[in-house]
Amino acid sequence: MGHQRRVLVVAVLSRLAVLVLSAVFHAAFDSYDTSSTVPQPTRTQQLFGGLAHWDGVFMLEIATNGYAYEQFLAFFPLYPLMLRVVSATVVSPVVGAAAVSPSSILVAALLVSNVAFVLAAVVLYNLTYSVTGHKALAEAAALWFCINPASVFFSAAYTESLFALLSFAGMLACYRRFSWVGAVLFSLAAATRSNGLVLAGYLVYYGAASSWTVWHSASPGRGLRLLMVVVTTVAQAGLVAVPFWTFQQHGRRLFCSRPQVESGVAGQQPAWCLTPSMLPYTHVQRHYWNVGFLSYYTPAQVPNLLLGAPALLLAGCFVVGVVRGQWAQLSTLCLGDSRVGRGAWGPSTFVFAVHLAFLALTAATIMHVQVATRFLLSASPCLYWLLAHAVVGDSTADKRSCKGVGSKIGVDRVVASLPTSLIVGYCVTYAVVGTVLFSVFLPWT
């Protein structure tokens, strides 16, 4: 069986395992929080309602009834829109239900999330092989993705799977010089989650790499070519920003153009409408979820901080490894070797490490820290590369090819010193416990 086919099979089996585990515990135990429980659930809701908890409640409600309340603006529109479309065009005709009903929307959510996950696993394999140049490393990274610690969120009514698919596919397109394809995919990612906006950095980086190549060439007309590269890069980065800006304006039109009873005073607009510079998304995150710089660092949140710590530590390990491994090229940001695959620590991974560092810093200082696990694992391939590099084994040619850099920087020794059983235990324990707790509406990452 080939590498990609093996990845495909394991991805499908992993999703089936999550669905079955969730269905069993959702049926066997009452939900801890019953506020979103349907009075007379259908068979579908009885089986898979455990995958529609927490943020999934918002996703399904938006897909069914639109943005009825301002707190819904925390959730970007592409995923709910896809649920509505799939429900009307795929689910309802098959089961004979109403075009948009709670049951059909739930089935659509499971279809979108799980199909996107399987596709994302295959794309991650191809991305890893393109960037590192090693098939064994690529397969191991994709297999780690299949049992990642935040596994339940990739099968639930959450954006993780769709965002991972769009992000990884966009990265692959950019790496293979299909920059406009990458820009479109990143734009769709930005319509899925707010941190999709950061993906424009890949377009800027690879645009800078192209500018570097043009500038150091001796060909005539390089000035005009350089200008074209700059203009194209700016246009592509702007395309990624369009969904974010459009959604913010849509939020203002929804809640600032008419009186809102829910603002607390009948006939009065929400307070944030009076501040033109205030983004609806920023207000909603701060007001309803207490998101802000270091606002989560209180004694009561110590258990949640510990939950997110392993993912942040792994992220730090990868970033330090790439920086130390490419220390001699930091002054040029590895622009001259931006597409040279040399294992998990090669110059081609530099831009990925910078992206991961930004995400990890944001998760550690601004967000609810326990969310870091699913936040990082759905947005960056780097943690999968780190785990793959630690477990592939010295007996393979791929491991020997990329071991040299890792050994020189010391990261290889640190990561490889962790027993494989410990790494697998971390992933499987988080995946299983998370699926069980999430399915009975108990908090997890």
Side-chain angles (χ1 to χ4, degrees), residues 143-430:
L143 294 180
W144 279 118
F145 177 71
C146 294
I147 60 168
N148 79 74
S151 202
V152 64
F153 297 98
F154 288 82
S155 284
Y158 272 58
T159 58
E160 267 67 11
S161 287
L162 179 61
F163 187 77
L165 172 61
L166 295 170
S167 299
F168 296 165
M171 294 170 190
L172 179 61
C174 287
Y175 191 84
R176 292 182 174 178
R177 293 184 169 84
F178 297 105
S179 58
W180 277 110
V181 175
V184 171
L185 290 167
F186 288 158
S187 181
L188 292 173
T192 305
R193 285 170 59 167
S194 61
N195 56 304
L197 193 62
V198 182
L199 294 168
Y202 285 90
L203 296 163
V204 173
Y205 180 80
Y206 287 119
S210 297
S211 299
W212 173 280
T213 302
V214 171
W215 181 255
H216 287 84
S217 68
S219 59
R222 67 177 183 176
L224 180 60
R225 290 169 56 201
L226 185 61
L227 177 62
M228 289 299 297
V229 170
V230 172
V231 170
T232 299
T233 301
V234 171
Q236 292 169 344
L239 179 63
V240 178
V242 167
F244 184 91
W245 181 86
T246 302
F247 185 55
Q248 301 313 298
Q249 298 308 307
H250 178 65
R252 282 195 166 275
R253 284 194 297 271
L254 277 178
F255 297 98
C256 298
S257 61
R258 54 186 171 86
Q260 299 296 318
V261 175
E262 73 232 36
S263 64
V265 180
Q268 181 176 323
Q269 290 182 332
W272 58 269
C273 290
L274 304 177
T275 308
S277 60
M278 173 69 74
L279 295 175
Y281 179 77
T282 303
H283 161 75
V284 167
Q285 288 285 357
R286 182 181 302 164
H287 182 72
Y288 293 98
W289 278 272
N290 191 34
V291 171
F293 184 69
L294 300 183
S295 62
Y296 208 60
Y297 284 80
T298 64
Q301 298 300 337
V302 169
N304 288 326
L305 297 176
L306 294 176
L307 273 179
L312 292 172
L313 289 173
L314 289 173
C317 184
F318 185 88
V319 172
V320 170
V322 172
V323 169
R324 294 184 65 184
Q326 303 306 319
W327 185 258
Q329 298 192 67
L330 284 187
S331 60
T332 63
L333 304 180
C334 301
L335 290 174
D337 292 326
S338 62
R339 290 183 173 89
V340 177
R342 296 175 188 164
W345 316 108
S348 60
T349 63
F350 176 78
V351 64
F352 295 90
V354 172
H355 178 219
L356 177 62
F358 178 84
L359 295 178
L361 186 62
T362 301
T365 59
I366 297 176
M367 299 171 57
H368 294 184
V369 178
Q370 76 272 21
V371 177
T373 305
R374 59 185 174 92
F375 179 67
L376 298 178
L377 290 170
S378 63
S380 171
C382 297
L383 297 189
Y384 304 112
W385 295 347
L386 180 72
L387 295 176
H389 182 74
V391 177
V392 160
D394 294 341
S395 61
T396 68
D398 285 351
K399 178 72 173 186
R400 290 196 300 270
S401 298
C402 60
K403 183 178 175 62
V405 177
S407 297
K408 291 177 182 177
I409 62 178
V411 174
D412 179 77
R413 292 193 295 272
V414 172
V415 177
S417 65
L418 297 175
T420 302
S421 57
L422 179 63
I423 300 175
V424 173
Y426 160 63
C427 291
V428 173
T429 300
Y430 266 55

